[in-house]
Amino acid sequence: MTKLPRLLRRAALALGLPVVLLVTWWFASAGSQDFYQPPLETIFRVFPDTWTAARLRSDVLPSLLRLFAGYGLAVALGIALGVAIGGNRTLRALTEPVLEFLRAIPPPVLVPVLILVSGFSDRTKILVIVLGAVWPVLLNTVEGVRGADEVLVDTCRTYRVRGWLRLRTFVLRAASPQIMVGARQALSISIIMMVIGELLGTTNGLGYTVIEFQRGFQIPEMWSGVFILGLLGVALSVLFRLVERQVLRWYHGARAAERAGH
């Protein structure tokens, strides 16, 4: 199969179910008189007037900046702590009870606490994202470091590969498949926590806009905001896959070679 038909087939598989669901929704909701469940045609009709360039700058852009800041900090913090904990048995034994306790606390519960401590600033909203998204990265990094090949560990020890060289060429490389799994999970959590952080004490953002539409009984506009959040999630997922493919190119190549060998 040549490259173009393969790409078209993948695109058809990826878009097939969403298109079927939208078409089904369109015809199922046509002529709906329910105030809270307007026809899909009405929701699409309000899109141009609702999501103008000015609103995109005032609401979508701040949300994206908070999302990227919180997600980036969560990934960096999760990898740093995960490498330290996963590579040291004593540290792992000391921190495991605390990590299990903190992980069991639902991040949304901490939002009122953060507001009391930090107020309603952007820093609070970013911290909300960090507290929710750090755990998948941290725990997967710990498991990735712990699951490193013992033969390669002994090889590094024998040849005295230490410090930054060992971290860069062996530890992070060996743990990178697990790290990317955690980073993928953290991305979806970050979007959820971004919306939760914007529901309280803010004056802009996607979460704030959706709740304001709901309070003002602008139901089609509210649904259009939900669509924007969904489209944002899809776009970020596609972007993440492209980055993952580049970061783990060696890993996918090794697996493909292994399958070909069998």
Side-chain angles (χ1 to χ4, degrees):
M1 183 180 291
T2 60
K3 187 173 182 180
L4 182 58
R6 186 164 59 245
L7 290 175
L8 292 175
R9 181 172 178 270
R10 288 181 180 178
L13 289 174
L15 296 175
L17 182 58
V19 169
V20 170
L21 291 175
L22 283 175
V23 170
T24 303
W25 187 359
W26 180 282
F27 287 105
S29 64
S32 173
Q33 300 298 316
D34 191 327
F35 179 76
Y36 295 102
Q37 298 179 26
L40 184 57
E41 180 184 2
T42 303
I43 298 173
F44 283 165
R45 194 186 308 131
V46 302
F47 250 89
D49 294 331
T50 303
W51 299 100
T52 61
R55 187 178 291 278
L56 292 176
R57 286 193 302 269
S58 64
D59 290 314
V60 178
L61 183 58
S63 291
L64 288 176
L65 293 176
R66 295 174 193 135
L67 175 64
F68 291 144
Y71 178 70
L73 287 173
V75 170
L77 185 62
I79 293 175
L81 292 177
V83 169
I85 295 171
N88 189 305
R89 293 182 180 178
T90 303
L91 183 59
R92 188 162 63 246
L94 287 173
T95 57
E96 188 171 10
V98 178
L99 291 179
E100 291 297 328
F101 173 79
L102 293 175
R103 185 179 64 165
I105 301 175
V109 174
L110 298 176
V111 174
V113 178
L114 289 174
I115 291 175
L116 287 176
V117 175
S118 302
F120 295 106
S121 64
D122 281 344
R123 180 177 61 182
T124 302
K125 300 176 185 64
I126 292 172
L127 284 176
V128 168
I129 297 172
V130 173
L131 286 177
V134 70
W135 299 108
V137 182
L138 171 58
L139 298 175
N140 277 279
T141 302
V142 170
E143 292 304 315
V145 173
R146 288 181 60 187
D149 192 333
E150 290 295 333
V151 175
L152 294 178
V153 172
D154 292 337
T155 302
C156 287
R157 186 180 300 114
T158 301
Y159 287 96
R160 298 181 180 180
V161 179
R162 300 170 180 169
W164 169 247
L165 180 62
R166 180 178 183 275
L167 176 65
R168 179 174 59 85
T169 60
F170 171 61
V171 176
L172 290 177
R173 188 178 179 88
S176 58
Q178 284 285 99
I179 292 174
M180 295 306 289
V181 170
R184 176 186 288 274
Q185 296 170 350
L187 182 59
S188 58
I189 294 174
S190 295
I191 297 174
I192 295 171
M193 298 307 297
M194 175 197 75
V195 175
I196 291 174
E198 292 175 348
L199 292 180
L200 299 172
T202 187
T203 57
N204 60 14
L206 277 169
Y208 165 81
T209 303
V210 170
I211 200 67
E212 283 298 300
F213 284 147
Q214 183 265 332
R215 289 171 178 169
F217 295 98
Q218 297 173 277
I219 304 303
E221 289 80 2
M222 180 196 73
W223 280 108
S224 71
V226 174
F227 263 103
I228 290 290
L229 286 169
L231 292 174
L232 174 62
V234 171
L236 292 177
S237 178
V238 171
L239 180 61
F240 184 89
R241 287 190 180 187
L242 294 175
V243 173
E244 180 185 39
R245 188 172 300 173
Q246 292 300 316
V247 172
L248 297 182
R249 183 169 48 187
W250 65 272
Y251 176 72
H252 296 304
R255 292 194 64 182
E258 183 180 345
R259 287 194 297 268
H262 289 296

